[in-house]
Amino acid sequence: MAAAPAPSASPLVLLECLIAGTSHREGLKAYEPQLQLGQALTLEREADSSYDDWAVRVYTAGPEPMWLGYLPEGRNETVARLLDADFALAGRLTHKAWEDEWLYLEMEVVLPI
């Protein structure tokens, strides 16, 4: 009988999405040069949001986190439920580009294995 393959250390990608609301984040334009592809992002549940029952904020990781925006409404319920259940989810920045005055940011939500 063949040995089972070793488990992968790669995280499980749960969601690939745009970060919503970047045009409403004060100071993001000046902060943008510090954003690097592949950098770690953190997720924080905003359970008391009056706009979205499943709101999840997206921040840069580190001692002085920058609030980048939100997971998009309509694509955030599963992630919000996992965060509510205390799963240790993380994120990473996968794309950034300026489109006129709008900072277009894409990310992955991952479950570390």
Side-chain angles (χ1 to χ4, degrees), residues 30-99:
Y31 187 86
E32 179 271 328
Q34 297 178 59
L35 294 173
Q36 301 299 315
L37 298 184
Q39 87 176 72
L41 303 174
T42 60
L43 305 170
E44 181 181 296
R45 185 73 163 88
E46 188 180 303
D48 62 348
S49 172
S50 58
Y51 299 102
D52 182 358
D53 292 337
W54 305 110
V56 176
R57 288 183 178 204
V58 179
Y59 292 89
T60 58
E64 295 183 29
M66 176 68 174
W67 180 16
L68 301 176
Y70 289 92
L71 294 185
E73 186 176 8
R75 301 199 58 206
N76 55 358
E77 182 177 352
T78 300
V79 172
R81 288 180 183 269
L82 289 168
L83 290 170
D84 289 347
D86 293 325
F87 278 79
L89 303 181
R92 62 182 167 214
L93 188 64
T94 59
H95 180 80
K96 74 173 186 171
W98 283 101
E99 294 187 9

